[in-house]
Amino acid sequence: MEYGERLANFRQTRLNPFDRSDEEDGPQGGKTPPRHEPRPELFSGSRTNSTDRAMDLGLAEDHFSRPMGSFVASDIEQLKLAIEECKKLILELPEHSERQKDTVVKLIHLRLKLQELKDPEEDEPNLRVLLEHRFSKEKSKSVKQTCDKCSAIIWGLIQTWYTCTGCYYRCHSKCMNLITKPCVRSKVSHQSEYELSICPEIGLDKQDYRCAECRTAISLRGVPSEARQCDYTGQYYCTACHWNDTAIVPARVIHNWEFEPRKVCRSSLRYLALMMSRPVLKLKEINPLLFNFVEELVEIRKLRQDILLMKPYFITCKEAMEARLLLQLQDRQHFVENDDMYSLQDLIDISSGRLSCSLTEIHTTFAKHIKLDCERCQAKGFVCELCKEGDILFPFDSHTSVCHECAAVFHRDCYYDNSTTCPRCARMTERKQDEV
């Protein structure tokens, strides 16, 4: 009977490998801690076999699986304790050793598990509308994004986050109900104009020593929060609303032709980004003297005027419409509508020289079609009626002048040397008198 009892006890132990009460009694006769606590073998200095090593690293556990049931606060505290022990062990182990590398892997797993418990994933809608924001659920697993509300990193691997399709405001799912900033695109839609005064500061006292956006108490000494000035609005903001981002300020470009990026608040950064390609700057009214000091502006204005003169040829030309020549300017649609409106992006490209190169190339292509490639467009040319000599003239030629009344084209020298009126205008006047 004694042999049979021993055999039964041995079989029971084999059938229940997790019940190690007989093997793992402590020195005081106590039992080992529960399974969910950090295993002491992880922090021992002895070398184990591959199976024990996997268990020591916690790799046998699925740290990324969804937890069953609800976790209590003790689980989070135990994970925090395990993380601290891992940190201490990493510092104690030999540098670049295999055990140190394995412990780092364990630390990463524990941190991901802790983050999952703090922010469990829930089923979220793909589209949410809040304060005129249209938030779309993101599927990217990138960790390089930052929440615009709490300023923390968005861990796309385990956290749900949204981006506004209008102003590109990014935030955690858990931060959405805390948002107080309306969508900047609505401001662009209702008020498409820039602040054209250079840093219009009103003073921190006029703001009652509060952030101009969220009304948080601020001061220049940084207590309780640092006051940061936005170079675009001239107002002061807290560190949550002003991240020291930089952007080119339109007022400095128009008045000083200065393109150095300045520090702006988050809302101004998004507003300037959305307004970048909008043609809302009428330079000849805002600062007409700018053309006297910036030669590139004069060159671009001449090219734009020529393109407007070419536009009627393309509209009435079947070959030009089939070739879609005007679509070469689809990114700058205002260039085929007027010659005096500019966007901030236009001015930046003028300063860098990119716009001059691209627009000159387009101008050459357009002129080649009208003067060489298309017979229909060539037939719409002019002959100088003052000298009646020379080749066929076009209004966009550099050596021609156009009558402001009847749009007839003449050699520039002939037009300015002529003391009489335009021959075509004279004929049109006589015809009207005959009809009367």
Side-chain angles (χ1 to χ4, degrees):
M1 292 296 295
E2 182 178 358
Y3 175 79
E5 290 177 357
R6 290 181 179 179
L7 180 60
N9 292 335
F10 175 76
R11 289 177 177 174
Q12 183 178 3
T13 303
R14 297 290 293 175
L15 292 175
N16 188 11
F18 294 104
D19 185 9
R20 305 175 63 185
S21 57
D22 294 336
E23 301 174 353
E24 300 181 0
D25 287 344
Q28 303 298 330
K31 297 189 176 182
T32 55
R35 178 175 170 80
H36 56 256
E37 293 188 359
R39 293 176 57 84
E41 290 85 357
L42 171 63
F43 310 108
S44 65
S46 62
R47 188 79 174 179
T48 59
N49 58 35
S50 59
T51 304
D52 293 337
R53 182 166 170 266
M55 292 298 293
D56 286 349
L57 293 174
L59 300 180
E61 299 182 15
D62 186 3
H63 292 284
F64 300 97
S65 63
R66 177 128 186 181
M68 300 299 294
S70 59
F71 282 82
V72 294
S74 61
D75 296 290
I76 296 179
E77 294 299 325
Q78 290 161 6
L79 281 174
K80 289 182 178 179
L81 290 175
I83 289 173
E84 293 301 322
E85 292 295 334
C86 274
K87 290 180 180 179
K88 294 178 181 178
L89 183 58
I90 290 173
L91 296 177
E92 295 174 358
L93 291 172
E95 190 174 0
H96 303 303
S97 64
E98 289 297 325
R99 189 163 180 78
Q100 186 187 52
K101 294 177 182 179
D102 293 340
T103 310
V104 171
V105 174
K106 173 66 177 178
L107 177 62
I108 295 173
H109 290 177
L110 290 174
R111 281 180 168 173
L112 289 174
K113 188 69 175 179
L114 178 63
Q115 186 67 36
E116 183 180 357
L117 294 184
K118 287 184 176 181
D119 184 26
E121 183 178 1
E122 299 177 358
D123 293 333
E124 299 283 354
N126 291 327
L127 185 65
R128 298 178 66 176
V129 180
L130 179 67
L131 295 177
E132 299 186 0
H133 291 281
R134 291 183 61 85
F135 285 106
S136 176
K137 187 176 179 180
E138 291 290 347
K139 299 180 180 179
S140 173
K141 300 302 182 182
S142 172
V143 297
K144 295 182 180 180
Q145 306 296 341
T146 304
C147 178
D148 283 309
K149 177 58 185 177
C150 66
S151 305
I153 295 177
I154 298 175
W155 296 90
L157 185 65
I158 58 177
Q159 291 179 318
T160 304
W161 60 292
Y162 287 80
T163 299
C164 176
T165 57
C167 65
Y168 308 107
Y169 187 97
R170 299 181 181 90
C171 70
H172 296 103
S173 173
K174 62 182 181 180
C175 297
M176 291 194 64
N177 294 330
L178 305 176
I179 295 175
T180 58
K181 303 174 183 178
C183 183
V184 178
R185 183 170 288 277
S186 60
K187 179 181 177 181
V188 174
S189 302
H190 298 106
Q191 185 183 1
S192 296
E193 58 183 21
Y194 288 116
E195 171 60 59
L196 297 180
S197 298
I198 298 178
C199 193
E201 181 181 1
I202 60 174
L204 193 55
D205 58 333
K206 295 292 183 180
Q207 296 181 207
D208 197 23
Y209 293 92
R210 293 186 179 275
C211 173
E213 191 163 328
C214 67
R215 306 306 297 168
T216 300
I218 55 177
S219 71
L220 296 176
R221 294 180 297 175
V223 180
S225 179
E226 178 187 359
R228 297 178 177 177
Q229 188 180 31
C230 173
D231 195 81
Y232 175 69
T233 64
Q235 296 178 313
Y236 290 89
Y237 298 82
C238 65
T239 54
C241 299
H242 194 315
W243 295 4
N244 284 332
D245 298 302
T246 58
I248 296 175
V249 180
R252 295 185 179 274
V253 173
I254 294 173
H255 296 295
N256 298 340
W257 199 245
E258 177 188 334
F259 294 89
E260 181 182 355
R262 301 281 180 158
K263 292 182 179 180
V264 296
C265 65
R266 295 292 293 175
S267 60
S268 296
L269 180 71
R270 285 189 288 270
Y271 181 77
L272 292 174
L274 292 174
M275 288 285 291
M276 181 68 70
S277 300
R278 288 181 173 256
V280 296
L281 299 173
K282 200 168 187 177
L283 293 184
K284 68 179 183 180
E285 291 185 0
I286 302 174
N287 186 11
L289 296 178
L290 196 60
F291 290 92
N292 297 338
F293 298 95
V294 183
E295 297 180 358
E296 294 86 351
L297 278 176
V298 179
E299 179 186 356
I300 295 298
R301 181 175 59 181
K302 180 62 171 66
L303 291 173
R304 292 183 62 177
Q305 290 172 349
D306 290 348
I307 289 174
L308 289 178
L309 294 173
M310 297 177 185
K311 180 180 176 181
Y313 289 86
F314 297 145
I315 294 177
T316 57
C317 177
K318 182 179 179 180
E319 295 180 5
M321 296 299 290
E322 291 177 352
R324 299 185 177 184
L325 292 177
L326 288 177
L327 286 182
Q328 296 186 32
L329 290 169
Q330 60 181 347
D331 294 335
R332 304 182 196 268
Q333 186 66 31
H334 52 287
F335 278 17
V336 296
E337 296 174 355
N338 56 70
D339 63 347
D340 56 355
M341 300 299 293
Y342 295 84
S343 67
L344 183 58
Q345 187 64 57
D346 293 337
L347 301 182
I348 295 174
D349 292 342
I350 290 173
S351 175
S352 64
R354 289 193 299 267
L355 183 57
S356 178
C357 294
S358 61
L359 201 58
T360 300
E361 184 177 351
I362 293 174
H363 181 279
T364 303
T365 303
F366 287 1
K368 181 175 179 293
H369 171 84
I370 296 173
K371 302 177 69 172
L372 300 176
D373 298 342
C374 180
E375 294 182 357
R376 291 189 180 91
C377 293
Q378 291 179 29
K380 298 174 184 176
F382 294 81
V383 174
C384 179
E385 296 187 30
L386 296 176
C387 68
K388 298 181 181 180
E389 296 178 357
D391 299 330
I392 299 176
L393 305 179
F394 293 92
F396 51 84
D397 287 334
S398 59
H399 61 284
T400 61
S401 294
V402 180
C403 177
H404 298 290
E405 300 294 332
C406 65
V409 181
F410 307 94
H411 290 112
R412 179 173 299 172
D413 296 337
C414 297
Y415 186 73
Y416 285 107
D417 291 342
N418 181 37
S419 58
T420 60
T421 59
C422 170
R424 188 177 181 183
C425 291
R427 289 197 304 271
M428 293 174 62
T429 303
E430 292 178 0
R431 188 178 302 170
K432 290 180 180 179
Q433 293 177 353
D434 294 339
E435 292 178 356
V436 174

